[in-house]
Amino acid sequence: MLVEQMKETISVVILRPAIVTSTFKEPFPGWVEGERTIDSLGVAYGKGKLTCFLGNINGVVDVIPADMVVNAILVAMVAHAYHPSDAIYHVGSSVRNPVRYANLQDYAFGYFTAKPWINKDGTSVKVGQITVLTNMASFRRYMFVHYVFWLKGLELANIAFCRYFQRTHEELNRKIQIVMRLVELYRPYLFFNGIFDDMNTEKLRVAATQGGVETDLFCFDPKVISWDDYFMNTHFPGLVKYIFK
C-alpha cells in the first residue's frame, strides 16, 4: 500500500515469492546459496539433529524453486514496462501444486536413509521418523522431559560440586533458550493454514504464452514440478552439495 501511494508515475511490479528453494533447472538443478527456512530443517534432519517437529504436519508448505521466481520477475517486468498495473503477483505452489509438511518428512526420511550423511569421523548418520508435536503445550512437555528436567539436575550437581559443571550447564541452557526463542519467533508460521491466490500470476503465464514468450526458457508454472522427484533428486542432493559442511 505504501508503494502504491508513493510510486506516482513510476511503473512498479509487486511480486511476492513464497518459500524459495533450490533451483529447478537454471543455472543447473539443485543450486542453493545459504541456509534458509525449510533448508535449515533439512540440514538438521540429515545430520541427525532434528528429532521433533512443531506444527501442523498436514499443513501446506508454500515452496517455489528460485529459478521460477527469477523467471516470473523477468516476465512481469517486461509485461509492465510500459503498461502500469496494480496487480500483486504471488509466486508459489500452494494453490496449483501443493506439497505438505508430511510429504517433506517422507522425502527427507527416504533420501537420508538411502544416502546418509557421513560425519567427519567416517560414521554415517542414521535418521528416524520425527516426533510430531501439534501444539505448544505438547512442545513444552517435550522440552521439559527431554531437556529442562536434565538441566535442573545438572544445576543441582553444579552447585554440589562447586560449579564443576558450570560450562556444561551454561551451554545446555543457552541451547534451550535459543530453541525457545526460535519457536516463539516462528510460531505464527508453524500453525499457519493459509494459501495464497496466484490468479494474477496465472494470468501472467497465459499472457506470456499467447505473446510468444519461450515458456520453456522462462518457466514459472509450479504444476510442472513432480515434488517427489524434485526433492529426492534435486533439492536434497543440492543441500548436501552446497550447504552441508
Side-chain angles (χ1 to χ4, degrees), residues 175-236:
K175 290 181 178 179
I176 292 174
Q177 294 304 316
I178 289 175
V179 169
M180 299 305 293
R181 283 198 299 270
L182 286 174
V183 166
E184 288 300 325
L185 177 65
Y186 286 103
R187 185 176 177 180
Y189 309 98
L190 297 172
F191 300 101
F192 181 71
N193 294 316
I195 58 176
F196 291 91
D197 182 2
D198 67 345
M199 182 59 69
N200 288 336
T201 310
E202 173 61 12
K203 290 178 180 178
L204 181 66
R205 277 191 289 265
V206 172
T209 302
Q210 295 174 345
V213 174
E214 298 179 69
T215 51
D216 288 340
L217 184 61
F218 295 98
C219 175
F220 54 98
D221 185 356
K223 270 197 170 182
V224 305
I225 304 172
S226 169
W227 289 119
D228 55 348
D229 179 70
Y230 169 75
F231 278 101
M232 297 292 287
N233 300 314
T234 300
H235 184 69
F236 287 132

